[in-house]
mmCIF file with all atom_site columns, all heavy atoms in Angstrom:
data_model
loop_
_atom_site.group_PDB
_atom_site.id
_atom_site.type_symbol
_atom_site.label_atom_id
_atom_site.label_alt_id
_atom_site.label_comp_id
_atom_site.label_asym_id
_atom_site.label_entity_id
_atom_site.label_seq_id
_atom_site.pdbx_PDB_ins_code
_atom_site.Cartn_x
_atom_site.Cartn_y
_atom_site.Cartn_z
_atom_site.occupancy
_atom_site.B_iso_or_equiv
_atom_site.pdbx_formal_charge
_atom_site.auth_seq_id
_atom_site.auth_comp_id
_atom_site.auth_asym_id
_atom_site.auth_atom_id
_atom_site.pdbx_PDB_model_num
ATOM 1   N N   . GLU R 1 1  ? 0.810  -1.218  0.000   1.00 97.00 ? 1477 GLU R N   1
ATOM 2   C CA  . GLU R 1 1  ? 0.000  0.000   0.000   1.00 97.00 ? 1477 GLU R CA  1
ATOM 3   C C   . GLU R 1 1  ? 0.845  1.271   0.000   1.00 97.00 ? 1477 GLU R C   1
ATOM 4   O O   . GLU R 1 1  ? 0.307  2.372   0.064   1.00 97.00 ? 1477 GLU R O   1
ATOM 5   C CB  . GLU R 1 1  ? -0.949 0.006   1.205   1.00 97.00 ? 1477 GLU R CB  1
ATOM 6   C CG  . GLU R 1 1  ? -1.977 -1.127  1.157   1.00 97.00 ? 1477 GLU R CG  1
ATOM 7   C CD  . GLU R 1 1  ? -2.973 -1.081  2.303   1.00 97.00 ? 1477 GLU R CD  1
ATOM 8   O OE1 . GLU R 1 1  ? -2.924 -0.112  3.101   1.00 97.00 ? 1477 GLU R OE1 1
ATOM 9   O OE2 . GLU R 1 1  ? -3.789 -2.022  2.402   1.00 97.00 ? 1477 GLU R OE2 1
ATOM 10  N N   . GLY R 1 2  ? 2.166  1.129   -0.066  1.00 97.00 ? 1478 GLY R N   1
ATOM 11  C CA  . GLY R 1 2  ? 3.049  2.286   -0.072  1.00 97.00 ? 1478 GLY R CA  1
ATOM 12  C C   . GLY R 1 2  ? 3.820  2.401   -1.373  1.00 97.00 ? 1478 GLY R C   1
ATOM 13  O O   . GLY R 1 2  ? 3.385  1.904   -2.411  1.00 97.00 ? 1478 GLY R O   1
ATOM 14  N N   . GLY R 1 3  ? 4.967  3.057   -1.287  1.00 96.00 ? 1479 GLY R N   1
ATOM 15  C CA  . GLY R 1 3  ? 5.728  3.333   -2.489  1.00 96.00 ? 1479 GLY R CA  1
ATOM 16  C C   . GLY R 1 3  ? 7.061  2.613   -2.600  1.00 96.00 ? 1479 GLY R C   1
ATOM 17  O O   . GLY R 1 3  ? 7.853  2.904   -3.509  1.00 96.00 ? 1479 GLY R O   1
ATOM 18  N N   . LEU R 1 4  ? 7.350  1.671   -1.685  1.00 98.00 ? 1480 LEU R N   1
ATOM 19  C CA  . LEU R 1 4  ? 8.592  0.908   -1.791  1.00 98.00 ? 1480 LEU R CA  1
ATOM 20  C C   . LEU R 1 4  ? 8.502  -0.091  -2.941  1.00 98.00 ? 1480 LEU R C   1
ATOM 21  O O   . LEU R 1 4  ? 7.419  -0.585  -3.266  1.00 98.00 ? 1480 LEU R O   1
ATOM 22  C CB  . LEU R 1 4  ? 8.885  0.171   -0.483  1.00 98.00 ? 1480 LEU R CB  1
ATOM 23  C CG  . LEU R 1 4  ? 9.060  1.029   0.775   1.00 98.00 ? 1480 LEU R CG  1
ATOM 24  C CD1 . LEU R 1 4  ? 9.461  0.152   1.956   1.00 98.00 ? 1480 LEU R CD1 1
ATOM 25  C CD2 . LEU R 1 4  ? 10.081 2.134   0.558   1.00 98.00 ? 1480 LEU R CD2 1
ATOM 26  N N   . LYS R 1 5  ? 9.643  -0.419  -3.521  1.00 97.00 ? 1481 LYS R N   1
ATOM 27  C CA  . LYS R 1 5  ? 9.685  -1.358  -4.650  1.00 97.00 ? 1481 LYS R CA  1
ATOM 28  C C   . LYS R 1 5  ? 9.742  -2.792  -4.111  1.00 97.00 ? 1481 LYS R C   1
ATOM 29  O O   . LYS R 1 5  ? 10.735 -3.503  -4.258  1.00 97.00 ? 1481 LYS R O   1
ATOM 30  C CB  . LYS R 1 5  ? 10.870 -1.047  -5.546  1.00 97.00 ? 1481 LYS R CB  1
ATOM 31  C CG  . LYS R 1 5  ? 10.791 0.336   -6.187  1.00 97.00 ? 1481 LYS R CG  1
ATOM 32  C CD  . LYS R 1 5  ? 12.006 0.637   -7.041  1.00 97.00 ? 1481 LYS R CD  1
ATOM 33  C CE  . LYS R 1 5  ? 11.897 2.024   -7.661  1.00 97.00 ? 1481 LYS R CE  1
ATOM 34  N NZ  . LYS R 1 5  ? 13.106 2.366   -8.484  1.00 97.00 ? 1481 LYS R NZ  1
ATOM 35  N N   . LEU R 1 6  ? 8.642  -3.195  -3.491  1.00 98.00 ? 1482 LEU R N   1
ATOM 36  C CA  . LEU R 1 6  ? 8.617  -4.493  -2.819  1.00 98.00 ? 1482 LEU R CA  1
ATOM 37  C C   . LEU R 1 6  ? 8.650  -5.655  -3.791  1.00 98.00 ? 1482 LEU R C   1
ATOM 38  O O   . LEU R 1 6  ? 9.239  -6.699  -3.491  1.00 98.00 ? 1482 LEU R O   1
ATOM 39  C CB  . LEU R 1 6  ? 7.375  -4.590  -1.923  1.00 98.00 ? 1482 LEU R CB  1
ATOM 40  C CG  . LEU R 1 6  ? 7.323  -3.611  -0.753  1.00 98.00 ? 1482 LEU R CG  1
ATOM 41  C CD1 . LEU R 1 6  ? 6.064  -3.850  0.077   1.00 98.00 ? 1482 LEU R CD1 1
ATOM 42  C CD2 . LEU R 1 6  ? 8.566  -3.720  0.124   1.00 98.00 ? 1482 LEU R CD2 1
ATOM 43  N N   . ALA R 1 7  ? 8.019  -5.524  -4.945  1.00 97.00 ? 1483 ALA R N   1
ATOM 44  C CA  . ALA R 1 7  ? 8.032  -6.623  -5.922  1.00 97.00 ? 1483 ALA R CA  1
ATOM 45  C C   . ALA R 1 7  ? 9.461  -6.932  -6.356  1.00 97.00 ? 1483 ALA R C   1
ATOM 46  O O   . ALA R 1 7  ? 9.868  -8.100  -6.402  1.00 97.00 ? 1483 ALA R O   1
ATOM 47  C CB  . ALA R 1 7  ? 7.160  -6.274  -7.126  1.00 97.00 ? 1483 ALA R CB  1
ATOM 48  N N   . GLU R 1 8  ? 10.235 -5.891  -6.653  1.00 97.00 ? 1484 GLU R N   1
ATOM 49  C CA  . GLU R 1 8  ? 11.630 -6.096  -7.047  1.00 97.00 ? 1484 GLU R CA  1
ATOM 50  C C   . GLU R 1 8  ? 12.424 -6.730  -5.913  1.00 97.00 ? 1484 GLU R C   1
ATOM 51  O O   . GLU R 1 8  ? 13.236 -7.642  -6.133  1.00 97.00 ? 1484 GLU R O   1
ATOM 52  C CB  . GLU R 1 8  ? 12.268 -4.766  -7.442  1.00 97.00 ? 1484 GLU R CB  1
ATOM 53  C CG  . GLU R 1 8  ? 11.727 -4.151  -8.713  1.00 97.00 ? 1484 GLU R CG  1
ATOM 54  C CD  . GLU R 1 8  ? 12.446 -2.853  -9.056  1.00 97.00 ? 1484 GLU R CD  1
ATOM 55  O OE1 . GLU R 1 8  ? 13.564 -2.640  -8.534  1.00 97.00 ? 1484 GLU R OE1 1
ATOM 56  O OE2 . GLU R 1 8  ? 11.901 -2.051  -9.827  1.00 97.00 ? 1484 GLU R OE2 1
ATOM 57  N N   . LEU R 1 9  ? 12.202 -6.250  -4.708  1.00 98.00 ? 1485 LEU R N   1
ATOM 58  C CA  . LEU R 1 9  ? 12.931 -6.782  -3.557  1.00 98.00 ? 1485 LEU R CA  1
ATOM 59  C C   . LEU R 1 9  ? 12.591 -8.247  -3.332  1.00 98.00 ? 1485 LEU R C   1
ATOM 60  O O   . LEU R 1 9  ? 13.481 -9.090  -3.154  1.00 98.00 ? 1485 LEU R O   1
ATOM 61  C CB  . LEU R 1 9  ? 12.604 -5.963  -2.312  1.00 98.00 ? 1485 LEU R CB  1
ATOM 62  C CG  . LEU R 1 9  ? 13.246 -6.433  -1.004  1.00 98.00 ? 1485 LEU R CG  1
ATOM 63  C CD1 . LEU R 1 9  ? 14.764 -6.417  -1.107  1.00 98.00 ? 1485 LEU R CD1 1
ATOM 64  C CD2 . LEU R 1 9  ? 12.774 -5.559  0.165   1.00 98.00 ? 1485 LEU R CD2 1
ATOM 65  N N   . LEU R 1 10 ? 11.312 -8.571  -3.347  1.00 97.00 ? 1486 LEU R N   1
ATOM 66  C CA  . LEU R 1 10 ? 10.890 -9.956  -3.105  1.00 97.00 ? 1486 LEU R CA  1
ATOM 67  C C   . LEU R 1 10 ? 11.447 -10.898 -4.163  1.00 97.00 ? 1486 LEU R C   1
ATOM 68  O O   . LEU R 1 10 ? 11.860 -12.017 -3.849  1.00 97.00 ? 1486 LEU R O   1
ATOM 69  C CB  . LEU R 1 10 ? 9.370  -10.041 -3.056  1.00 97.00 ? 1486 LEU R CB  1
ATOM 70  C CG  . LEU R 1 10 ? 8.715  -9.447  -1.808  1.00 97.00 ? 1486 LEU R CG  1
ATOM 71  C CD1 . LEU R 1 10 ? 7.214  -9.302  -2.004  1.00 97.00 ? 1486 LEU R CD1 1
ATOM 72  C CD2 . LEU R 1 10 ? 9.007  -10.303 -0.577  1.00 97.00 ? 1486 LEU R CD2 1
ATOM 73  N N   . ARG R 1 11 ? 11.466 -10.466 -5.406  1.00 97.00 ? 1487 ARG R N   1
ATOM 74  C CA  . ARG R 1 11 ? 11.989 -11.325 -6.478  1.00 97.00 ? 1487 ARG R CA  1
ATOM 75  C C   . ARG R 1 11 ? 13.491 -11.544 -6.342  1.00 97.00 ? 1487 ARG R C   1
ATOM 76  O O   . ARG R 1 11 ? 14.018 -12.555 -6.801  1.00 97.00 ? 1487 ARG R O   1
ATOM 77  C CB  . ARG R 1 11 ? 11.666 -10.721 -7.841  1.00 97.00 ? 1487 ARG R CB  1
ATOM 78  C CG  . ARG R 1 11 ? 10.185 -10.748 -8.193  1.00 97.00 ? 1487 ARG R CG  1
ATOM 79  C CD  . ARG R 1 11 ? 9.963  -10.383 -9.654  1.00 97.00 ? 1487 ARG R CD  1
ATOM 80  N NE  . ARG R 1 11 ? 8.541  -10.307 -9.965  1.00 97.00 ? 1487 ARG R NE  1
ATOM 81  C CZ  . ARG R 1 11 ? 7.861  -9.167  -10.119 1.00 97.00 ? 1487 ARG R CZ  1
ATOM 82  N NH1 . ARG R 1 11 ? 8.499  -7.993  -10.012 1.00 97.00 ? 1487 ARG R NH1 1
ATOM 83  N NH2 . ARG R 1 11 ? 6.571  -9.175  -10.401 1.00 97.00 ? 1487 ARG R NH2 1
ATOM 84  N N   . ALA R 1 12 ? 14.176 -10.609 -5.704  1.00 97.00 ? 1488 ALA R N   1
ATOM 85  C CA  . ALA R 1 12 ? 15.628 -10.724 -5.560  1.00 97.00 ? 1488 ALA R CA  1
ATOM 86  C C   . ALA R 1 12 ? 16.027 -11.580 -4.367  1.00 97.00 ? 1488 ALA R C   1
ATOM 87  O O   . ALA R 1 12 ? 17.173 -12.040 -4.296  1.00 97.00 ? 1488 ALA R O   1
ATOM 88  C CB  . ALA R 1 12 ? 16.245 -9.335  -5.416  1.00 97.00 ? 1488 ALA R CB  1
ATOM 89  N N   . LEU R 1 13 ? 15.098 -11.811 -3.446  1.00 97.00 ? 1489 LEU R N   1
ATOM 90  C CA  . LEU R 1 13 ? 15.385 -12.625 -2.268  1.00 97.00 ? 1489 LEU R CA  1
ATOM 91  C C   . LEU R 1 13 ? 15.181 -14.104 -2.591  1.00 97.00 ? 1489 LEU R C   1
ATOM 92  O O   . LEU R 1 13 ? 14.452 -14.448 -3.517  1.00 97.00 ? 1489 LEU R O   1
ATOM 93  C CB  . LEU R 1 13 ? 14.466 -12.214 -1.118  1.00 97.00 ? 1489 LEU R CB  1
ATOM 94  C CG  . LEU R 1 13 ? 14.627 -10.791 -0.592  1.00 97.00 ? 1489 LEU R CG  1
ATOM 95  C CD1 . LEU R 1 13 ? 13.531 -10.472 0.421   1.00 97.00 ? 1489 LEU R CD1 1
ATOM 96  C CD2 . LEU R 1 13 ? 16.004 -10.580 0.024   1.00 97.00 ? 1489 LEU R CD2 1
ATOM 97  N N   . PRO R 1 14 ? 15.800 -15.007 -1.835  1.00 95.00 ? 1490 PRO R N   1
ATOM 98  C CA  . PRO R 1 14 ? 15.545 -16.441 -2.038  1.00 95.00 ? 1490 PRO R CA  1
ATOM 99  C C   . PRO R 1 14 ? 14.053 -16.747 -1.976  1.00 95.00 ? 1490 PRO R C   1
ATOM 100 O O   . PRO R 1 14 ? 13.315 -16.174 -1.164  1.00 95.00 ? 1490 PRO R O   1
ATOM 101 C CB  . PRO R 1 14 ? 16.302 -17.094 -0.874  1.00 95.00 ? 1490 PRO R CB  1
ATOM 102 C CG  . PRO R 1 14 ? 17.419 -16.136 -0.574  1.00 95.00 ? 1490 PRO R CG  1
ATOM 103 C CD  . PRO R 1 14 ? 16.834 -14.768 -0.805  1.00 95.00 ? 1490 PRO R CD  1
ATOM 104 N N   . ALA R 1 15 ? 13.602 -17.667 -2.839  1.00 91.00 ? 1491 ALA R N   1
ATOM 105 C CA  . ALA R 1 15 ? 12.176 -17.879 -3.078  1.00 91.00 ? 1491 ALA R CA  1
ATOM 106 C C   . ALA R 1 15 ? 11.387 -18.293 -1.840  1.00 91.00 ? 1491 ALA R C   1
ATOM 107 O O   . ALA R 1 15 ? 10.202 -17.991 -1.738  1.00 91.00 ? 1491 ALA R O   1
ATOM 108 C CB  . ALA R 1 15 ? 11.980 -18.918 -4.177  1.00 91.00 ? 1491 ALA R CB  1
ATOM 109 N N   . THR R 1 16 ? 12.026 -18.984 -0.924  1.00 93.00 ? 1492 THR R N   1
ATOM 110 C CA  . THR R 1 16 ? 11.298 -19.449 0.261   1.00 93.00 ? 1492 THR R CA  1
ATOM 111 C C   . THR R 1 16 ? 11.781 -18.761 1.541   1.00 93.00 ? 1492 THR R C   1
ATOM 112 O O   . THR R 1 16 ? 11.515 -19.246 2.638   1.00 93.00 ? 1492 THR R O   1
ATOM 113 C CB  . THR R 1 16 ? 11.439 -20.969 0.422   1.00 93.00 ? 1492 THR R CB  1
ATOM 114 O OG1 . THR R 1 16 ? 12.829 -21.309 0.542   1.00 93.00 ? 1492 THR R OG1 1
ATOM 115 C CG2 . THR R 1 16 ? 10.828 -21.702 -0.767  1.00 93.00 ? 1492 THR R CG2 1
ATOM 116 N N   . LEU R 1 17 ? 12.463 -17.627 1.404   1.00 97.00 ? 1493 LEU R N   1
ATOM 117 C CA  . LEU R 1 17 ? 12.992 -16.935 2.577   1.00 97.00 ? 1493 LEU R CA  1
ATOM 118 C C   . LEU R 1 17 ? 11.851 -16.529 3.519   1.00 97.00 ? 1493 LEU R C   1
ATOM 119 O O   . LEU R 1 17 ? 10.889 -15.889 3.092   1.00 97.00 ? 1493 LEU R O   1
ATOM 120 C CB  . LEU R 1 17 ? 13.758 -15.684 2.146   1.00 97.00 ? 1493 LEU R CB  1
ATOM 121 C CG  . LEU R 1 17 ? 14.607 -15.016 3.228   1.00 97.00 ? 1493 LEU R CG  1
ATOM 122 C CD1 . LEU R 1 17 ? 15.837 -15.860 3.540   1.00 97.00 ? 1493 LEU R CD1 1
ATOM 123 C CD2 . LEU R 1 17 ? 15.021 -13.617 2.785   1.00 97.00 ? 1493 LEU R CD2 1
ATOM 124 N N   . PRO R 1 18 ? 11.920 -16.887 4.805   1.00 98.00 ? 1494 PRO R N   1
ATOM 125 C CA  . PRO R 1 18 ? 10.880 -16.452 5.748   1.00 98.00 ? 1494 PRO R CA  1
ATOM 126 C C   . PRO R 1 18 ? 10.791 -14.934 5.809   1.00 98.00 ? 1494 PRO R C   1
ATOM 127 O O   . PRO R 1 18 ? 11.804 -14.231 5.689   1.00 98.00 ? 1494 PRO R O   1
ATOM 128 C CB  . PRO R 1 18 ? 11.357 -17.031 7.081   1.00 98.00 ? 1494 PRO R CB  1
ATOM 129 C CG  . PRO R 1 18 ? 12.218 -18.199 6.709   1.00 98.00 ? 1494 PRO R CG  1
ATOM 130 C CD  . PRO R 1 18 ? 12.904 -17.785 5.445   1.00 98.00 ? 1494 PRO R CD  1
ATOM 131 N N   . LEU R 1 19 ? 9.579  -14.438 5.992   1.00 98.00 ? 1495 LEU R N   1
ATOM 132 C CA  . LEU R 1 19 ? 9.342  -12.998 6.068   1.00 98.00 ? 1495 LEU R CA  1
ATOM 133 C C   . LEU R 1 19 ? 8.772  -12.646 7.428   1.00 98.00 ? 1495 LEU R C   1
ATOM 134 O O   . LEU R 1 19 ? 7.768  -13.210 7.861   1.00 98.00 ? 1495 LEU R O   1
ATOM 135 C CB  . LEU R 1 19 ? 8.375  -12.560 4.972   1.00 98.00 ? 1495 LEU R CB  1
ATOM 136 C CG  . LEU R 1 19 ? 8.844  -12.757 3.532   1.00 98.00 ? 1495 LEU R CG  1
ATOM 137 C CD1 . LEU R 1 19 ? 7.729  -12.400 2.556   1.00 98.00 ? 1495 LEU R CD1 1
ATOM 138 C CD2 . LEU R 1 19 ? 10.100 -11.942 3.246   1.00 98.00 ? 1495 LEU R CD2 1
ATOM 139 N N   . SER R 1 20 ? 9.415  -11.702 8.091   1.00 98.00 ? 1496 SER R N   1
ATOM 140 C CA  . SER R 1 20 ? 8.926  -11.161 9.350   1.00 98.00 ? 1496 SER R CA  1
ATOM 141 C C   . SER R 1 20 ? 8.134  -9.900  9.026   1.00 98.00 ? 1496 SER R C   1
ATOM 142 O O   . SER R 1 20 ? 8.668  -8.957  8.435   1.00 98.00 ? 1496 SER R O   1
ATOM 143 C CB  . SER R 1 20 ? 10.101 -10.842 10.272  1.00 98.00 ? 1496 SER R CB  1
ATOM 144 O OG  . SER R 1 20 ? 9.666  -10.214 11.452  1.00 98.00 ? 1496 SER R OG  1
ATOM 145 N N   . ILE R 1 21 ? 6.862  -9.872  9.400   1.00 98.00 ? 1497 ILE R N   1
ATOM 146 C CA  . ILE R 1 21 ? 6.005  -8.736  9.077   1.00 98.00 ? 1497 ILE R CA  1
ATOM 147 C C   . ILE R 1 21 ? 6.184  -7.686  10.164  1.00 98.00 ? 1497 ILE R C   1
ATOM 148 O O   . ILE R 1 21 ? 5.609  -7.782  11.251  1.00 98.00 ? 1497 ILE R O   1
ATOM 149 C CB  . ILE R 1 21 ? 4.529  -9.170  8.949   1.00 98.00 ? 1497 ILE R CB  1
ATOM 150 C CG1 . ILE R 1 21 ? 4.411  -10.398 8.030   1.00 98.00 ? 1497 ILE R CG1 1
ATOM 151 C CG2 . ILE R 1 21 ? 3.687  -8.024  8.429   1.00 98.00 ? 1497 ILE R CG2 1
ATOM 152 C CD1 . ILE R 1 21 ? 5.017  -10.222 6.644   1.00 98.00 ? 1497 ILE R CD1 1
ATOM 153 N N   . GLU R 1 22 ? 7.023  -6.695  9.864   1.00 98.00 ? 1498 GLU R N   1
ATOM 154 C CA  . GLU R 1 22 ? 7.367  -5.667  10.857  1.00 98.00 ? 1498 GLU R CA  1
ATOM 155 C C   . GLU R 1 22 ? 6.761  -4.337  10.415  1.00 98.00 ? 1498 GLU R C   1
ATOM 156 O O   . GLU R 1 22 ? 7.350  -3.610  9.616   1.00 98.00 ? 1498 GLU R O   1
ATOM 157 C CB  . GLU R 1 22 ? 8.880  -5.544  11.020  1.00 98.00 ? 1498 GLU R CB  1
ATOM 158 C CG  . GLU R 1 22 ? 9.244  -4.586  12.148  1.00 98.00 ? 1498 GLU R CG  1
ATOM 159 C CD  . GLU R 1 22 ? 10.718 -4.562  12.461  1.00 98.00 ? 1498 GLU R CD  1
ATOM 160 O OE1 . GLU R 1 22 ? 11.475 -3.992  11.657  1.00 98.00 ? 1498 GLU R OE1 1
ATOM 161 O OE2 . GLU R 1 22 ? 11.111 -5.118  13.509  1.00 98.00 ? 1498 GLU R OE2 1
ATOM 162 N N   . VAL R 1 23 ? 5.580  -4.038  10.944  1.00 98.00 ? 1499 VAL R N   1
ATOM 163 C CA  . VAL R 1 23 ? 4.840  -2.853  10.515  1.00 98.00 ? 1499 VAL R CA  1
ATOM 164 C C   . VAL R 1 23 ? 4.249  -2.136  11.738  1.00 98.00 ? 1499 VAL R C   1
ATOM 165 O O   . VAL R 1 23 ? 3.051  -2.271  12.040  1.00 98.00 ? 1499 VAL R O   1
ATOM 166 C CB  . VAL R 1 23 ? 3.716  -3.221  9.517   1.00 98.00 ? 1499 VAL R CB  1
ATOM 167 C CG1 . VAL R 1 23 ? 3.104  -1.951  8.924   1.00 98.00 ? 1499 VAL R CG1 1
ATOM 168 C CG2 . VAL R 1 23 ? 4.242  -4.118  8.406   1.00 98.00 ? 1499 VAL R CG2 1
ATOM 169 N N   . PRO R 1 24 ? 5.065  -1.366  12.459  1.00 98.00 ? 1500 PRO R N   1
ATOM 170 C CA  . PRO R 1 24 ? 4.498  -0.574  13.546  1.00 98.00 ? 1500 PRO R CA  1
ATOM 171 C C   . PRO R 1 24 ? 3.594  0.515   12.970  1.00 98.00 ? 1500 PRO R C   1
ATOM 172 O O   . PRO R 1 24 ? 3.966  1.200   12.017  1.00 98.00 ? 1500 PRO R O   1
ATOM 173 C CB  . PRO R 1 24 ? 5.734  0.024   14.222  1.00 98.00 ? 1500 PRO R CB  1
ATOM 174 C CG  . PRO R 1 24 ? 6.766  0.077   13.133  1.00 98.00 ? 1500 PRO R CG  1
ATOM 175 C CD  . PRO R 1 24 ? 6.513  -1.147  12.291  1.00 98.00 ? 1500 PRO R CD  1
ATOM 176 N N   . GLN R 1 25 ? 2.413  0.660   13.539  1.00 97.00 ? 1501 GLN R N   1
ATOM 177 C CA  . GLN R 1 25 ? 1.443  1.658   13.081  1.00 97.00 ? 1501 GLN R CA  1
ATOM 178 C C   . GLN R 1 25 ? 0.823  2.316   14.315  1.00 97.00 ? 1501 GLN R C   1
ATOM 179 O O   . GLN R 1 25 ? -0.296 2.020   14.716  1.00 97.00 ? 1501 GLN R O   1
ATOM 180 C CB  . GLN R 1 25 ? 0.371  0.991   12.205  1.00 97.00 ? 1501 GLN R CB  1
ATOM 181 C CG  . GLN R 1 25 ? 0.942  0.389   10.917  1.00 97.00 ? 1501 GLN R CG  1
ATOM 182 C CD  . GLN R 1 25 ? -0.097 -0.363  10.096  1.00 97.00 ? 1501 GLN R CD  1
ATOM 183 O OE1 . GLN R 1 25 ? -0.845 -1.173  10.642  1.00 97.00 ? 1501 GLN R OE1 1
ATOM 184 N NE2 . GLN R 1 25 ? -0.125 -0.114  8.799   1.00 97.00 ? 1501 GLN R NE2 1
ATOM 185 N N   . ALA R 1 26 ? 1.594  3.213   14.920  1.00 97.00 ? 1502 ALA R N   1
ATOM 186 C CA  . ALA R 1 26 ? 1.204  3.774   16.213  1.00 97.00 ? 1502 ALA R CA  1
ATOM 187 C C   . ALA R 1 26 ? -0.125 4.524   16.144  1.00 97.00 ? 1502 ALA R C   1
ATOM 188 O O   . ALA R 1 26 ? -0.939 4.429   17.070  1.00 97.00 ? 1502 ALA R O   1
ATOM 189 C CB  . ALA R 1 26 ? 2.301  4.709   16.717  1.00 97.00 ? 1502 ALA R CB  1
ATOM 190 N N   . THR R 1 27 ? -0.355 5.263   15.079  1.00 97.00 ? 1503 THR R N   1
ATOM 191 C CA  . THR R 1 27 ? -1.614 5.999   14.967  1.00 97.00 ? 1503 THR R CA  1
ATOM 192 C C   . THR R 1 27 ? -2.797 5.045   14.868  1.00 97.00 ? 1503 THR R C   1
ATOM 193 O O   . THR R 1 27 ? -3.804 5.193   15.567  1.00 97.00 ? 1503 THR R O   1
ATOM 194 C CB  . THR R 1 27 ? -1.581 6.943   13.754  1.00 97.00 ? 1503 THR R CB  1
ATOM 195 O OG1 . THR R 1 27 ? -0.498 7.873   13.907  1.00 97.00 ? 1503 THR R OG1 1
ATOM 196 C CG2 . THR R 1 27 ? -2.896 7.709   13.638  1.00 97.00 ? 1503 THR R CG2 1
ATOM 197 N N   . LEU R 1 28 ? -2.683 4.050   14.008  1.00 97.00 ? 1504 LEU R N   1
ATOM 198 C CA  . LEU R 1 28 ? -3.763 3.080   13.840  1.00 97.00 ? 1504 LEU R CA  1
ATOM 199 C C   . LEU R 1 28 ? -4.003 2.303   15.132  1.00 97.00 ? 1504 LEU R C   1
ATOM 200 O O   . LEU R 1 28 ? -5.149 1.949   15.456  1.00 97.00 ? 1504 LEU R O   1
ATOM 201 C CB  . LEU R 1 28 ? -3.440 2.122   12.699  1.00 97.00 ? 1504 LEU R CB  1
ATOM 202 C CG  . LEU R 1 28 ? -4.507 1.091   12.343  1.00 97.00 ? 1504 LEU R CG  1
ATOM 203 C CD1 . LEU R 1 28 ? -5.767 1.787   11.833  1.00 97.00 ? 1504 LEU R CD1 1
ATOM 204 C CD2 . LEU R 1 28 ? -3.977 0.111   11.296  1.00 97.00 ? 1504 LEU R CD2 1
ATOM 205 N N   . ALA R 1 29 ? -2.940 2.052   15.884  1.00 97.00 ? 1505 ALA R N   1
ATOM 206 C CA  . ALA R 1 29 ? -3.055 1.258   17.107  1.00 97.00 ? 1505 ALA R CA  1
ATOM 207 C C   . ALA R 1 29 ? -3.917 1.935   18.170  1.00 97.00 ? 1505 ALA R C   1
ATOM 208 O O   . ALA R 1 29 ? -4.375 1.277   19.113  1.00 97.00 ? 1505 ALA R O   1
ATOM 209 C CB  . ALA R 1 29 ? -1.669 0.967   17.675  1.00 97.00 ? 1505 ALA R CB  1
ATOM 210 N N   . ARG R 1 30 ? -4.175 3.227   18.023  1.00 96.00 ? 1506 ARG R N   1
ATOM 211 C CA  . ARG R 1 30 ? -5.040 3.914   18.990  1.00 96.00 ? 1506 ARG R CA  1
ATOM 212 C C   . ARG R 1 30 ? -6.489 3.466   18.865  1.00 96.00 ? 1506 ARG R C   1
ATOM 213 O O   . ARG R 1 30 ? -7.263 3.587   19.819  1.00 96.00 ? 1506 ARG R O   1
ATOM 214 C CB  . ARG R 1 30 ? -4.940 5.430   18.788  1.00 96.00 ? 1506 ARG R CB  1
ATOM 215 C CG  . ARG R 1 30 ? -3.567 6.017   19.074  1.00 96.00 ? 1506 ARG R CG  1
ATOM 216 C CD  . ARG R 1 30 ? -3.510 7.468   18.668  1.00 96.00 ? 1506 ARG R CD  1
ATOM 217 N NE  . ARG R 1 30 ? -2.133 7.986   18.723  1.00 96.00 ? 1506 ARG R NE  1
ATOM 218 C CZ  . ARG R 1 30 ? -1.700 9.026   18.024  1.00 96.00 ? 1506 ARG R CZ  1
ATOM 219 N NH1 . ARG R 1 30 ? -2.545 9.676   17.229  1.00 96.00 ? 1506 ARG R NH1 1
ATOM 220 N NH2 . ARG R 1 30 ? -0.443 9.420   18.135  1.00 96.00 ? 1506 ARG R NH2 1
ATOM 221 N N   . THR R 1 31 ? -6.862 2.972   17.686  1.00 97.00 ? 1507 THR R N   1
ATOM 222 C CA  . THR R 1 31 ? -8.263 2.606   17.455  1.00 97.00 ? 1507 THR R CA  1
ATOM 223 C C   . THR R 1 31 ? -8.461 1.159   17.025  1.00 97.00 ? 1507 THR R C   1
ATOM 224 O O   . THR R 1 31 ? -9.599 0.664   17.055  1.00 97.00 ? 1507 THR R O   1
ATOM 225 C CB  . THR R 1 31 ? -8.878 3.516   16.376  1.00 97.00 ? 1507 THR R CB  1
ATOM 226 O OG1 . THR R 1 31 ? -8.093 3.433   15.172  1.00 97.00 ? 1507 THR R OG1 1
ATOM 227 C CG2 . THR R 1 31 ? -8.912 4.965   16.847  1.00 97.00 ? 1507 THR R CG2 1
#
């Protein structure tokens, strides 16, 4: 949902590399 080139990054990483979903959202966390 942002502007990082995630598709390029994901394709460059090993195909089965585990992904840690690290997305702090302090404003959203209020509600």
